[in-house]
Amino acid sequence: RVGGFAGGNAGGTITESFAAGTVSGGENAGGFVSRNGNEFAEEDGFRAEITDCYAVGEVTGDERVGGFVGHNFFGDVEQSYAGGDVSGNESVGGFVGVNRDGSTANDVYWDATIAETSDGGTALTTTGMQGASATEEMSGFDFENTWQTVVEDESINGETPDTDEYPILSRLASEAQL
């Protein structure tokens, strides 16, 4: 179980975070988190929740491999996206490898240009997820308060990108995320 941000989220809440590193593993490999939730947390009344997060690193694994989460297991993911290459042998998805019954993936997006399928989320083209297009295509995101578009030749804290990029978190915009 390997993830770009965490190996697993058993029953906690993760908000406004991102992962951009390369992830390589076996089962339950995810660009952000390997496994979100578990049956024991659900029995105790806890839900694993991830909101307003993203992953843009390459993910490789064997089975239950996702650009964002490998296995969404009694967990909830909302307003998040994945934009990295994903490869594996079984249950491979651009956003989530396996989205188990009882789990949700609402207002989540994945780049269909670099990953063909997903067990949850909305497929968008790279162009639809980047620059000004993101505000229209990723309609479940709050671009007034939480998210910021990255548009070619528009300065973000002194840096000017040469191309449109995926959205970044507004509160983290002062850090180099490009």
Side-chain angles (χ1 to χ4, degrees), residues 77-164:
V77 183
E78 297 181 342
Q79 293 88 37
S80 298
Y81 75 85
D85 289 326
V86 183
S87 61
N89 297 316
E90 185 179 327
S91 301
V92 178
F95 189 82
V96 62
V98 173
N99 195 38
R100 184 181 170 110
D101 289 344
S103 299
T104 62
N106 296 319
D107 296 322
V108 300
Y109 307 92
W110 53 280
D111 191 330
T113 307
I114 54 180
E116 293 181 15
T117 64
S118 184
D119 193 22
T122 300
L124 297 173
T125 64
T126 303
T127 304
M129 291 180 70
Q130 294 184 343
S133 297
T135 58
E136 293 177 23
E137 299 292 327
M138 300 168 84
S139 59
F141 281 28
D142 179 355
F143 282 101
E144 280 190 36
N145 301 302
T146 307
W147 293 94
Q148 180 175 336
T149 58
V150 179
V151 179
E152 177 183 3
D153 295 331
E154 286 187 13
S155 178
I156 297 177
N157 299 312
E159 291 189 38
T160 306
D162 294 332
T163 61
D164 288 350

